[in-house]
Amino acid sequence: MSFRTDYILHAQHFDAAQADFKNGFDFTTHSPEDLHTFYAKILQSGMHGLCFSMYEDGQKPGDHISEEQVRRRLKIMAPYTKWVRSFSCIEGNEFVPKIAREFGMKTLVGAWLGDDAEKNEKEIEALIQLAKEGFVDIAAVGNEVMYRKDLSEDELLSFIHKVRKEIPAHIPVGYVDAYYEFTIKPRITEACDVILTNCYPYWEGSTIDYSLAHMKSMYYQALDAGKGKKVIITETGWPSQGESFKDSHPSKENAMKYFINTQHWSKESNIDIFYFSSFDESWKVGAEGEVGAYWGIWDKNEKLKYNDK
């Protein structure tokens, strides 16, 4: 797949003066039909990475998911992305990096860590095994553990050090959290080979017009904290419906605008971004309110969103 050529052709549709990319494109001079066209061309040109949405209606974390379901969803995603990010290594999640290899995708594989010590050990051992078997390109030890306060710094560091010691040396090891955690937790930052940061202007109440500039500031804060280490944005996105959060408003139009700006910046500036997320997931309503269920590029029935004019 040619990610670059298609993208350059798409970019020619915009006036260069609109794209200083402090705040992104000026969409005010374009019609709703133009927005759909730009979105479709960006999507078809391909992404660096996509977060894998595991669960259908009626499913939730803790359920065991079949290999067939994972393969079906990865087959849908494969034409649009070079990398896939998974969040766990047990309960069917272990199929994600294995099947991703069948579709030629690279993998950022995460071990989910929480307050269940037994599950934590299973996750870590499964991540180590997947890495030894050659299914892991980047290993993520935990996701927002410090943000949730599920573990102490020392407990998390022990897991990071264990994985670093036991998996092949060429595989980078990191930890995923909000961008500011890498500033206030320097020991964790030091332990990581790569900085894996989640950046959500939406959850900080940003307007859609300022959202790209806001995400950039998050990225550069993490970059500064990393002191030369590579920074990867492991999650960012915008919901298509649900409740507003301060000045952040979900809508199909805002979701398309955010996606276009994010992908343009990713390609122009060579920033590795895993977009959140692939499919809408109904279970997230409980954790985040109605808006939690509408972050996908595809809907909960695995149909591509935003393809209606």
Side-chain angles (χ1 to χ4, degrees):
M1 180 189 303
S2 173
F3 290 80
R4 193 70 186 175
T5 302
D6 289 347
Y7 171 69
I8 291 171
L9 291 174
H10 153 72
Q12 291 172 353
H13 288 274
F14 293 103
D15 183 84
Q18 295 175 318
D20 65 1
F21 265 79
K22 178 180 180 182
N23 296 316
F25 290 114
D26 177 7
F27 294 101
T28 61
T29 60
H30 294 284
S31 68
E33 289 76 17
D34 287 340
L35 182 61
H36 280 86
T37 299
F38 299 155
Y39 175 86
K41 289 186 176 181
I42 281 276
L43 182 64
Q44 290 296 328
S45 71
M47 289 168 273
H48 170 80
L50 259 176
C51 295
F52 187 74
S53 303
M54 189 73 166
Y55 303 104
E56 297 178 349
D57 261 10
Q59 298 174 343
K60 62 186 184 303
D63 294 343
H64 288 261
I65 306 304
S66 71
E67 182 176 354
E68 182 279 330
Q69 181 171 317
V70 172
R71 179 172 280 104
R72 186 183 72 244
R73 291 198 157 192
L74 282 172
K75 185 177 181 180
I76 294 169
M77 295 165 57
Y80 301 93
T81 185
K82 294 182 284 187
W83 286 71
V84 63
R85 178 190 171 201
S86 59
F87 292 78
S88 170
C89 293
I90 62 175
E91 299 168 345
N93 291 278
E94 66 274 15
F95 296 130
V96 178
K98 294 178 179 180
I99 298 170
R101 282 286 191 263
E102 297 177 14
F103 292 107
M105 288 185 281
K106 292 189 174 183
T107 61
L108 195 165
V109 182
W112 187 268
L113 301 178
D115 56 9
D116 185 323
E118 183 178 349
K119 270 197 168 183
N120 288 346
E121 292 295 337
K122 290 180 179 178
E123 288 274 5
I124 292 297
E125 292 305 320
L127 175 60
I128 291 169
Q129 185 63 32
L130 285 167
K132 288 180 175 179
E133 292 173 354
F135 296 112
V136 179
D137 291 297
I138 300 174
V141 183
N143 180 69
E144 296 185 346
V145 178
M146 294 292 97
Y147 173 78
R148 296 192 308 273
K149 298 180 172 58
D150 284 346
L151 297 174
S152 69
E153 280 192 60
D154 286 340
E155 288 171 326
L156 176 60
L157 283 166
S158 70
F159 284 126
I160 294 173
H161 293 317
K162 177 180 176 66
V163 172
R164 176 65 286 163
K165 179 180 179 181
E166 297 195 26
I167 72 172
H170 71 275
I171 301 174
V173 174
Y175 161 69
V176 179
D177 214 324
Y179 65 100
Y180 52 80
E181 292 288 354
F182 296 99
T183 299
I184 63 179
K185 302 286 194 309
R187 289 197 298 152
I188 293 172
T189 305
E190 175 62 28
C192 294
D193 301 322
V194 60
I195 307 302
L196 307 174
T197 181
N198 294 343
C199 299
Y200 282 108
Y202 181 88
W203 288 121
E204 295 197 356
S206 172
T207 65
I208 190 63
D209 293 336
Y210 185 67
S211 58
L212 180 65
H214 195 104
M215 181 174 64
K216 284 183 175 183
S217 72
M218 297 173 172
Y219 170 82
Y220 286 114
Q221 182 173 330
L223 190 66
D224 182 67
K227 295 180 171 57
K229 293 182 179 181
K230 182 179 178 65
V231 174
I232 297 172
I233 297 177
T234 38
E235 292 178 38
T236 195
W238 200 277
S240 58
Q241 65 185 85
E243 313 93 337
S244 296
F245 183 76
K246 298 181 181 178
D247 291 328
S248 297
H249 304 300
S251 71
K252 288 185 176 181
E253 292 75 16
N254 285 348
M256 285 190 283
K257 289 175 182 177
Y258 189 76
F259 179 83
I260 291 167
N261 279 337
T262 297
Q263 295 305 309
H264 182 96
W265 180 55
S266 172
K267 292 163 183 174
E268 284 296 287
S269 300
N270 197 28
I271 307 296
D272 292 351
I273 294 177
F274 287 80
Y275 203 79
F276 188 90
S277 190
S278 45
F279 303 94
D280 285 348
E281 291 185 293
S282 298
W283 73 270
K284 292 176 67 67
V285 168
E288 299 177 5
E290 182 186 354
V291 74
Y294 299 104
W295 293 80
I297 291 173
W298 291 268
D299 67 19
K300 66 179 182 179
N301 298 314
E302 302 174 356
K303 302 298 183 184
L304 197 61
K305 294 157 67 174
Y306 320 128
N307 59 353
D308 55 324
K309 299 293 181 72

